[in-house]
Amino acid sequence: MLMFSLIAATAMVVIAMTLNLVTLFNGPDQPDRILALDTMYINSIALILLFGLIMGTSLYFEAALLIAMLGFVSTAALCKYLLRGDIIE
């Protein structure tokens, strides 16, 4: 029963990532595309965590933490570039 739930959750996350990919390429403007990219980071973290639960190892949790940190920094840098036109002042 648990394995079925994990596979169903994985399928839902993959569908969400596909819809985010469509929004990333066909977004109406730049903030929507940045938001779609940020949501893809969150979905990829969820996918890695689900894969770690399915495999039964904790190694994937560290990879998810690294992706979370890189996603936060890159989203902050992209937003700063979009607002000011320069990342480093």
Side-chain angles (χ1 to χ4, degrees), residues 1-16:
M1 186 67 180
L2 179 65
M3 189 59 70
F4 175 74
S5 299
L6 289 173
I7 291 172
T10 303
M12 289 180 203
V13 170
V14 167
I15 290 170

Side-chain angles (χ1 to χ4, degrees), residues 38-51:
D38 189 43
T39 309
M40 282 188 68
Y41 280 120
I42 294 169
N43 286 336
S44 66
I45 291 167
L47 195 62
I48 290 172
L49 289 175
L50 285 169
F51 190 68

Side-chain angles (χ1 to χ4, degrees), residues 23 34 46 48 63 75 81 86:
T23 305
I34 291 174
I48 290 172
T75 301
Y81 178 74
D86 190 19

